[in-house]
Short mmCIF file of all heavy atoms in Angstrom, two decimals:
data_model
loop_
_atom_site.label_atom_id
_atom_site.label_comp_id
_atom_site.label_asym_id
_atom_site.label_seq_id
_atom_site.Cartn_x
_atom_site.Cartn_y
_atom_site.Cartn_z
N PHE A 279 1.83 5.63 -13.49
CA PHE A 279 2.78 6.74 -13.45
C PHE A 279 2.85 7.41 -14.84
O PHE A 279 3.11 8.60 -14.95
CB PHE A 279 4.19 6.26 -13.00
CG PHE A 279 5.05 5.75 -14.11
CD1 PHE A 279 5.80 6.63 -14.84
CD2 PHE A 279 5.17 4.42 -14.34
CE1 PHE A 279 6.65 6.10 -15.87
CE2 PHE A 279 6.01 3.92 -15.33
CZ PHE A 279 6.73 4.77 -16.14
N ARG A 280 2.71 6.63 -15.90
CA ARG A 280 2.78 7.20 -17.26
C ARG A 280 1.58 8.01 -17.64
O ARG A 280 1.54 8.67 -18.68
CB ARG A 280 3.03 6.09 -18.26
CG ARG A 280 1.94 5.08 -18.41
CD ARG A 280 2.32 3.91 -19.25
NE ARG A 280 3.40 3.12 -18.64
CZ ARG A 280 4.34 2.43 -19.31
NH1 ARG A 280 4.33 2.45 -20.62
NH2 ARG A 280 5.24 1.76 -18.68
N LEU A 281 0.58 7.99 -16.78
CA LEU A 281 -0.62 8.88 -16.96
C LEU A 281 -0.42 10.17 -16.18
O LEU A 281 -1.35 11.01 -16.18
CB LEU A 281 -1.91 8.14 -16.48
CG LEU A 281 -2.29 6.92 -17.26
CD1 LEU A 281 -3.52 6.27 -16.60
CD2 LEU A 281 -2.50 7.18 -18.70
N GLY A 282 0.72 10.28 -15.53
CA GLY A 282 0.92 11.49 -14.71
C GLY A 282 0.45 11.34 -13.30
O GLY A 282 0.40 12.34 -12.55
N ILE A 283 0.08 10.14 -12.86
CA ILE A 283 -0.33 9.87 -11.50
C ILE A 283 0.92 9.68 -10.60
O ILE A 283 1.82 8.88 -10.98
CB ILE A 283 -1.21 8.64 -11.43
CG1 ILE A 283 -2.49 8.74 -12.33
CG2 ILE A 283 -1.59 8.32 -9.95
CD1 ILE A 283 -3.51 9.66 -11.78
N ALA A 284 0.98 10.39 -9.54
CA ALA A 284 2.15 10.23 -8.60
C ALA A 284 1.91 8.93 -7.77
O ALA A 284 1.24 8.92 -6.76
CB ALA A 284 2.20 11.44 -7.69
N SER A 285 2.48 7.81 -8.28
CA SER A 285 2.23 6.52 -7.64
C SER A 285 3.54 5.86 -7.28
O SER A 285 4.61 6.13 -7.86
CB SER A 285 1.46 5.59 -8.64
OG SER A 285 2.24 5.26 -9.73
N THR A 286 3.47 5.04 -6.22
CA THR A 286 4.62 4.27 -5.76
C THR A 286 4.07 2.89 -5.28
O THR A 286 2.99 2.87 -4.72
CB THR A 286 5.28 4.98 -4.52
OG1 THR A 286 5.59 6.30 -4.87
CG2 THR A 286 6.58 4.28 -4.13
N PHE A 287 4.82 1.88 -5.56
CA PHE A 287 4.40 0.58 -5.09
C PHE A 287 5.33 0.04 -3.97
O PHE A 287 6.53 0.35 -3.98
CB PHE A 287 4.31 -0.44 -6.24
CG PHE A 287 5.65 -0.87 -6.79
CD1 PHE A 287 6.27 -2.07 -6.40
CD2 PHE A 287 6.31 -0.09 -7.76
CE1 PHE A 287 7.47 -2.46 -6.87
CE2 PHE A 287 7.51 -0.50 -8.29
CZ PHE A 287 8.10 -1.65 -7.85
N TYR A 288 4.78 -0.69 -3.05
CA TYR A 288 5.52 -1.24 -1.92
C TYR A 288 5.22 -2.75 -1.78
O TYR A 288 4.02 -3.11 -1.76
CB TYR A 288 5.13 -0.56 -0.62
CG TYR A 288 5.54 0.91 -0.56
CD1 TYR A 288 4.62 1.92 -0.84
CD2 TYR A 288 6.82 1.32 -0.26
CE1 TYR A 288 4.96 3.27 -0.85
CE2 TYR A 288 7.20 2.64 -0.15
CZ TYR A 288 6.28 3.60 -0.48
OH TYR A 288 6.64 4.94 -0.47
N THR A 289 6.24 -3.54 -1.65
CA THR A 289 6.08 -4.95 -1.50
C THR A 289 6.64 -5.46 -0.18
O THR A 289 6.71 -6.70 0.02
CB THR A 289 6.69 -5.74 -2.68
OG1 THR A 289 8.08 -5.41 -2.80
CG2 THR A 289 6.03 -5.35 -3.97
N ASP A 290 7.12 -4.57 0.64
CA ASP A 290 7.66 -4.98 1.99
C ASP A 290 6.64 -4.51 3.03
O ASP A 290 6.21 -3.36 3.04
CB ASP A 290 9.03 -4.22 2.20
CG ASP A 290 9.57 -4.44 3.55
OD1 ASP A 290 10.21 -5.50 3.82
OD2 ASP A 290 9.34 -3.58 4.41
N SER A 291 6.32 -5.40 3.95
CA SER A 291 5.28 -5.11 4.91
C SER A 291 5.59 -3.92 5.84
O SER A 291 4.70 -3.15 6.18
CB SER A 291 4.97 -6.37 5.75
OG SER A 291 6.09 -6.78 6.47
N TYR A 292 6.85 -3.77 6.20
CA TYR A 292 7.24 -2.62 7.08
C TYR A 292 7.06 -1.30 6.31
O TYR A 292 6.52 -0.36 6.82
CB TYR A 292 8.70 -2.82 7.56
CG TYR A 292 8.86 -3.72 8.73
CD1 TYR A 292 8.95 -5.11 8.48
CD2 TYR A 292 8.86 -3.25 10.01
CE1 TYR A 292 9.09 -6.00 9.55
CE2 TYR A 292 9.04 -4.11 11.08
CZ TYR A 292 9.12 -5.49 10.85
OH TYR A 292 9.29 -6.35 11.91
N MET A 293 7.55 -1.29 5.06
CA MET A 293 7.39 -0.09 4.25
C MET A 293 5.90 0.23 3.97
O MET A 293 5.55 1.35 3.89
CB MET A 293 8.15 -0.26 2.95
CG MET A 293 9.68 -0.29 3.11
SD MET A 293 10.30 1.29 3.81
CE MET A 293 9.94 2.38 2.43
N GLN A 294 5.10 -0.83 3.87
CA GLN A 294 3.70 -0.63 3.58
C GLN A 294 3.03 0.09 4.80
O GLN A 294 2.30 1.05 4.67
CB GLN A 294 3.00 -1.98 3.35
CG GLN A 294 3.30 -2.54 1.97
CD GLN A 294 2.82 -3.98 1.79
OE1 GLN A 294 2.35 -4.58 2.74
NE2 GLN A 294 2.91 -4.46 0.58
N ARG A 295 3.38 -0.37 5.99
CA ARG A 295 2.78 0.23 7.20
C ARG A 295 3.22 1.69 7.33
O ARG A 295 2.44 2.60 7.59
CB ARG A 295 3.19 -0.47 8.43
CG ARG A 295 2.48 -1.87 8.61
CD ARG A 295 2.96 -2.59 9.83
NE ARG A 295 2.64 -1.86 11.04
CZ ARG A 295 1.48 -2.08 11.77
NH1 ARG A 295 0.63 -3.00 11.34
NH2 ARG A 295 1.24 -1.38 12.81
N MET A 296 4.53 1.95 7.18
CA MET A 296 5.04 3.30 7.31
C MET A 296 4.48 4.23 6.27
O MET A 296 4.06 5.36 6.55
CB MET A 296 6.60 3.28 7.27
CG MET A 296 7.24 2.62 8.48
SD MET A 296 9.00 2.85 8.55
CE MET A 296 9.51 1.80 7.18
N SER A 297 4.40 3.79 5.01
CA SER A 297 3.87 4.61 3.96
C SER A 297 2.39 4.91 4.15
O SER A 297 1.92 5.98 3.89
CB SER A 297 4.14 4.04 2.59
OG SER A 297 3.55 2.76 2.47
N ALA A 298 1.63 3.89 4.64
CA ALA A 298 0.23 4.10 4.86
C ALA A 298 -0.02 5.16 5.92
O ALA A 298 -1.00 5.87 5.88
CB ALA A 298 -0.45 2.78 5.35
N ALA A 299 0.90 5.29 6.84
CA ALA A 299 0.78 6.34 7.86
C ALA A 299 1.05 7.73 7.34
O ALA A 299 0.81 8.72 8.07
CB ALA A 299 1.73 6.01 9.02
N THR A 300 1.55 7.88 6.10
CA THR A 300 1.80 9.16 5.51
C THR A 300 0.64 9.66 4.68
O THR A 300 0.69 10.78 4.15
CB THR A 300 3.06 9.19 4.62
OG1 THR A 300 2.78 8.42 3.45
CG2 THR A 300 4.26 8.59 5.37
N LEU A 301 -0.40 8.81 4.52
CA LEU A 301 -1.51 9.16 3.66
C LEU A 301 -2.42 10.22 4.29
O LEU A 301 -2.47 10.29 5.53
CB LEU A 301 -2.32 7.91 3.36
CG LEU A 301 -1.62 6.86 2.44
CD1 LEU A 301 -2.39 5.58 2.48
CD2 LEU A 301 -1.55 7.36 1.05
N GLU A 302 -3.09 10.93 3.42
CA GLU A 302 -4.05 11.94 3.83
C GLU A 302 -5.34 11.78 3.07
O GLU A 302 -5.45 10.91 2.20
CB GLU A 302 -3.46 13.36 3.67
CG GLU A 302 -2.21 13.58 4.45
CD GLU A 302 -1.61 15.00 4.13
OE1 GLU A 302 -2.28 15.76 3.41
OE2 GLU A 302 -0.50 15.20 4.58
N ALA A 303 -6.38 12.61 3.36
CA ALA A 303 -7.63 12.50 2.74
C ALA A 303 -7.57 12.68 1.22
O ALA A 303 -8.44 12.18 0.51
CB ALA A 303 -8.60 13.50 3.35
N ALA A 304 -6.56 13.42 0.74
CA ALA A 304 -6.45 13.68 -0.68
C ALA A 304 -5.80 12.56 -1.45
O ALA A 304 -5.56 12.60 -2.66
CB ALA A 304 -5.68 14.95 -0.90
N ASP A 305 -5.37 11.46 -0.72
CA ASP A 305 -4.62 10.36 -1.30
C ASP A 305 -5.44 9.11 -1.49
O ASP A 305 -6.62 9.05 -1.04
CB ASP A 305 -3.42 10.02 -0.41
CG ASP A 305 -2.54 11.23 -0.17
OD1 ASP A 305 -2.38 12.06 -1.08
OD2 ASP A 305 -1.96 11.35 0.95
N ALA A 306 -4.85 8.12 -2.18
CA ALA A 306 -5.53 6.81 -2.39
C ALA A 306 -4.49 5.67 -2.24
O ALA A 306 -3.34 5.90 -2.43
CB ALA A 306 -6.19 6.76 -3.78
N ALA A 307 -4.99 4.53 -1.90
CA ALA A 307 -4.20 3.34 -1.75
C ALA A 307 -4.83 2.14 -2.47
O ALA A 307 -6.07 2.00 -2.30
CB ALA A 307 -3.89 3.02 -0.27
N ILE A 308 -4.05 1.37 -3.19
CA ILE A 308 -4.53 0.22 -3.91
C ILE A 308 -3.89 -1.04 -3.33
O ILE A 308 -2.65 -1.06 -3.10
CB ILE A 308 -4.20 0.27 -5.40
CG1 ILE A 308 -4.78 1.55 -6.04
CG2 ILE A 308 -4.83 -0.92 -6.14
CD1 ILE A 308 -4.34 1.74 -7.47
N PHE A 309 -4.67 -2.08 -3.05
CA PHE A 309 -4.21 -3.30 -2.46
C PHE A 309 -4.53 -4.42 -3.44
O PHE A 309 -5.67 -4.72 -3.75
CB PHE A 309 -4.84 -3.57 -1.10
CG PHE A 309 -4.55 -2.51 -0.09
CD1 PHE A 309 -5.32 -1.30 -0.14
CD2 PHE A 309 -3.58 -2.67 0.83
CE1 PHE A 309 -5.08 -0.30 0.83
CE2 PHE A 309 -3.32 -1.66 1.75
CZ PHE A 309 -4.08 -0.48 1.75
N VAL A 310 -3.46 -5.16 -3.87
CA VAL A 310 -3.63 -6.30 -4.75
C VAL A 310 -3.34 -7.59 -3.99
O VAL A 310 -2.25 -7.68 -3.40
CB VAL A 310 -2.68 -6.22 -5.99
CG1 VAL A 310 -2.92 -7.39 -6.93
CG2 VAL A 310 -2.85 -4.89 -6.69
N SER A 311 -4.26 -8.46 -3.92
CA SER A 311 -4.07 -9.69 -3.14
C SER A 311 -4.86 -10.86 -3.68
O SER A 311 -6.04 -10.68 -4.00
CB SER A 311 -4.43 -9.45 -1.66
OG SER A 311 -4.34 -10.67 -0.91
N SER A 312 -4.25 -12.03 -3.81
CA SER A 312 -4.97 -13.19 -4.30
C SER A 312 -5.98 -13.71 -3.30
O SER A 312 -7.09 -14.05 -3.63
CB SER A 312 -3.95 -14.31 -4.56
OG SER A 312 -3.10 -13.96 -5.66
N THR A 313 -5.60 -13.71 -2.01
CA THR A 313 -6.52 -14.27 -0.97
C THR A 313 -7.23 -13.18 -0.18
O THR A 313 -8.29 -13.45 0.40
CB THR A 313 -5.68 -15.13 0.01
OG1 THR A 313 -4.76 -14.26 0.76
CG2 THR A 313 -4.92 -16.20 -0.70
N GLY A 314 -6.64 -11.99 -0.15
CA GLY A 314 -7.23 -10.96 0.73
C GLY A 314 -7.10 -11.18 2.18
O GLY A 314 -7.75 -10.57 3.00
N ARG A 315 -6.10 -12.06 2.54
CA ARG A 315 -6.02 -12.50 3.93
C ARG A 315 -4.69 -12.05 4.64
O ARG A 315 -4.60 -12.15 5.86
CB ARG A 315 -6.13 -13.96 4.05
CG ARG A 315 -7.51 -14.43 3.70
CD ARG A 315 -7.72 -15.91 3.89
NE ARG A 315 -9.02 -16.36 3.52
CZ ARG A 315 -10.10 -16.25 4.34
NH1 ARG A 315 -9.94 -15.78 5.58
NH2 ARG A 315 -11.31 -16.64 3.94
N PRO A 316 -3.61 -11.63 3.97
CA PRO A 316 -2.38 -11.27 4.67
C PRO A 316 -2.66 -10.21 5.74
O PRO A 316 -3.21 -9.13 5.50
CB PRO A 316 -1.45 -10.72 3.55
CG PRO A 316 -1.96 -11.43 2.34
CD PRO A 316 -3.45 -11.51 2.47
N ARG A 317 -2.21 -10.53 6.97
CA ARG A 317 -2.45 -9.62 8.10
C ARG A 317 -1.77 -8.28 7.82
O ARG A 317 -2.30 -7.23 8.23
CB ARG A 317 -1.82 -10.29 9.31
CG ARG A 317 -2.07 -9.49 10.64
CD ARG A 317 -3.49 -9.47 11.03
NE ARG A 317 -4.11 -8.19 10.90
CZ ARG A 317 -5.36 -7.88 11.13
NH1 ARG A 317 -6.21 -8.83 11.52
NH2 ARG A 317 -5.83 -6.66 10.98
N ALA A 318 -0.58 -8.27 7.19
CA ALA A 318 0.12 -7.00 6.91
C ALA A 318 -0.73 -6.09 6.02
O ALA A 318 -0.76 -4.92 6.28
CB ALA A 318 1.46 -7.30 6.28
N LEU A 319 -1.40 -6.63 5.01
CA LEU A 319 -2.24 -5.80 4.13
C LEU A 319 -3.47 -5.30 4.89
O LEU A 319 -3.90 -4.16 4.73
CB LEU A 319 -2.68 -6.64 2.89
CG LEU A 319 -1.55 -6.92 1.90
CD1 LEU A 319 -2.14 -7.64 0.68
CD2 LEU A 319 -0.78 -5.68 1.45
N GLN A 320 -4.03 -6.15 5.75
CA GLN A 320 -5.16 -5.70 6.58
C GLN A 320 -4.84 -4.57 7.46
O GLN A 320 -5.54 -3.58 7.65
CB GLN A 320 -5.71 -6.87 7.36
CG GLN A 320 -6.32 -7.99 6.53
CD GLN A 320 -6.80 -9.16 7.37
OE1 GLN A 320 -7.54 -9.01 8.34
NE2 GLN A 320 -6.32 -10.36 7.15
N ASP A 321 -3.62 -4.67 8.05
CA ASP A 321 -3.12 -3.56 8.93
C ASP A 321 -2.97 -2.27 8.14
O ASP A 321 -3.30 -1.18 8.58
CB ASP A 321 -1.82 -3.97 9.59
CG ASP A 321 -1.99 -5.05 10.62
OD1 ASP A 321 -3.12 -5.29 11.03
OD2 ASP A 321 -0.98 -5.70 11.01
N SER A 322 -2.40 -2.40 6.94
CA SER A 322 -2.12 -1.19 6.14
C SER A 322 -3.43 -0.54 5.62
O SER A 322 -3.48 0.67 5.57
CB SER A 322 -1.24 -1.60 4.92
OG SER A 322 0.04 -1.96 5.36
N VAL A 323 -4.43 -1.36 5.24
CA VAL A 323 -5.66 -0.77 4.83
C VAL A 323 -6.36 -0.06 5.97
O VAL A 323 -7.00 0.99 5.84
CB VAL A 323 -6.60 -1.80 4.16
CG1 VAL A 323 -7.30 -2.69 5.17
CG2 VAL A 323 -7.67 -1.09 3.25
#
């Protein structure tokens, strides 16, 4: 955000799903995960 990037972080699985549904081709999403296995993150990606 301090670079002027319009960024928001979400740590709640419901908010992750809803926010992912607002994305468009001009947007990007970053996923941080130790295991890469949480079903909620897989659904959001």
Side-chain angles (χ1 to χ4, degrees):
F279 88 83
R280 63 189 67 209
L281 298 177
I283 302 288
S285 67
T286 308
F287 70 96
Y288 295 98
T289 58
D290 175 84
S291 60
Y292 279 84
M293 291 297 293
Q294 288 171 352
R295 288 179 64 92
M296 290 188 289
S297 61
T300 71
L301 291 167
E302 299 177 7
D305 303 325
I308 305 175
F309 299 82
V310 184
S311 176
S312 297
T313 65
R315 296 183 178 278
R317 184 69 250 178
L319 292 182
Q320 293 178 54
D321 291 344
S322 293
V323 78

